[in-house]
Every structure is written in C-alpha cells, then in structure tokens.
C-alpha cells in the first residue's frame, strides 16, 4: 500500500511540474517528444495525474476503512477524479487516432544542410494553417512564421537563412 502511494505521489508531483513547464512556457516555444508536440502530450499528462490522484484517494479510503470509518470523502474524491480521467482518456484516444495533427514535419533546404519544422492545424473555418519552427535542441522548437493560405508556402532558402514574405530568418541564433 505504501509503495502504491509513493509511486502515485511521485507521478502526481512530476506530472504537475511537467504540466506547469509546458503550460507556462513562452508563447513562441513548443516542446516535442518523439516528434509529437506538447499539444499532444498535455492531455496524456493530465490523464496520468488524475489516475494517480484517484489511486491515492482509493488507497486512503482503504486505510480509513481499516480504521473502522466509512471513508465517504475519499470515495467521493476518487469518483470525481475518475470522471475527469474518463474525459482525458477520451481526449487521449482521439489524439492517438489523429496523431498526424500533432506531429512536426521536417522541411529540408534544397542542399539538405538546413531544415525547419512545420505543424499543420485547421482554423475555425476549416482552412489549413501551417506554423514553422526552428529546432533549438532535442525537445525545444522556436516559432518562426506561419502561413494561413491553405497550402504549404514557398520558402526562399539562402546560405545564411531563409526568406518568407520579405522577412529573413537566420538558420541559428
């Protein structure tokens, strides 16, 4: 019982810290793991947090029941967290089924020496929007520009950077 509480408590704390980092990060920064953006991972982290909290309340309920009390509060909290977990489980399954919406796609320069990363999303009117990023390190990507014209834009690749709509973006800063 103590081992389960320790594991769930660890997931709860680490998940909370990771979620805080992802949500509170700079507006022009995206994180990606296994090529999937943080928009994909946030519901999964929330699901793990809710499942950990539910398990903690269930173990607390078992301890209270052992002491001869009813444990109604712990049961109610476990049910509340279980309902939240059902919502995020559905969201997770939906994101896994439509994983391509959350993946970074690498766009290489004609010489193959440089690259930018692109995500695609759909706006409220159903138009395709492309957002381009520069990879800073293994997990961090910085916003460069976006295009909402419905098709991937033409990028003018140069030796020291790329140009899009008259604006120059260097390969590394």
């Amino acid at each position: 019982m103590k081992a389960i509480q320790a594991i769930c408590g660890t997931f709860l704390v680490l998940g909370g810290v990771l979620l805080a980092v992802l949500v509170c990060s700079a507006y022009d920064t995206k994180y990606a793991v296994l090529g999937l953006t943080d928009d994909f991972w946030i519901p999964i982290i929330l699901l793990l947090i809710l499942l950990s909290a539910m398990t903690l309340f269930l173990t607390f309920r078992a301890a209270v029941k052992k002491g001869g009390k009813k444990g109604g509060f712990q049961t109610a909290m476990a049910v509340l967290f279980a309902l939240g977990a059902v919502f995020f489980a559905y969201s997770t399954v939906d994101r896994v089924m439509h994983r391509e919406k959350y993946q970074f796609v690498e766009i290489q320069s004609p010489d193959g020496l440089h690259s930018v990363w692109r995500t695609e999303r759909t706006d409220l009117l159903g138009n395709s929007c492309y957002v381009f990023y520069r990879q800073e390190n293994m997990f961090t990507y910085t916003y460069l520009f976006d295009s909402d014209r419905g098709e991937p834009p033409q990028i003018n690749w140069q030796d020291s950077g790329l140009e899009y709509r008259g604006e120059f973006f260097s390969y590394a800063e």
Side-chain angles (χ1 to χ4, degrees), residues 55-73:
T55 304
L56 277 175
F57 276 106
L58 288 175
T59 59
F60 293 154
R61 179 183 176 272
V64 167
K65 291 278 259 183
K66 223 182 241 188
K69 297 182 181 175
K70 289 187 177 187
F73 174 74

Side-chain angles (χ1 to χ4, degrees), residues 6-166:
I7 291 169
C8 289
T10 303
F11 275 135
L12 201 60
V13 170
L14 291 177
V17 169
L18 186 58
L19 192 63
V21 167
L22 290 178
V23 171
C24 296
S25 64
Y27 175 74
D28 61 350
T29 301
K30 271 223 178 291
Y31 295 99
V33 176
L34 302 175
L36 296 165
T37 64
D38 48 9
D39 299 329
F40 177 85
W41 292 108
I42 287 175
I44 295 172
I45 294 168
L46 282 168
L47 174 65
L48 291 174
I49 288 173
L50 289 172
L51 289 174
S52 296
M54 179 189 74
T55 304
L56 277 175
F57 276 106
L58 288 175
T59 59
F60 293 154
R61 179 183 176 272
V64 167
K65 291 278 259 183
K66 223 182 241 188
K69 297 182 181 175
K70 289 187 177 187
F73 174 74
Q74 290 83 1
T75 303
M77 292 303 292
V79 167
L80 184 66
F81 283 116
L83 290 173
V86 166
F87 172 76
F88 285 109
Y90 172 77
S91 178
T92 298
V93 168
D94 181 59
R95 286 169 192 263
V96 168
M97 298 302 288
H98 301 100
R99 191 172 56 238
E100 65 278 354
K101 292 178 8 184
Y102 304 100
Q103 286 182 322
F104 273 117
V105 176
E106 183 179 15
I107 310 297
Q108 287 192 342
S109 63
D111 60 6
L113 297 176
H114 304 287
S115 60
V116 292
W117 298 84
R118 179 187 83 199
T119 61
E120 182 180 349
R121 63 179 171 80
T122 306
D123 64 10
L124 295 174
L125 301 174
N127 301 321
S128 292
C129 303
Y130 299 95
V131 185
F132 290 83
Y133 296 89
R134 174 183 35 243
Q135 186 173 15
E136 297 297 328
N137 58 40
M138 188 174 191
F139 302 110
T140 309
Y141 297 78
T142 303
Y143 171 83
L144 290 175
F145 60 89
D146 57 59
S147 172
D148 57 356
R149 300 202 176 176
E151 60 185 48
Q154 294 296 332
I155 298 172
N156 184 10
W157 298 90
Q158 299 174 5
D159 290 336
S160 60
L162 56 98
E163 186 178 338
Y164 176 69
R165 289 189 186 166

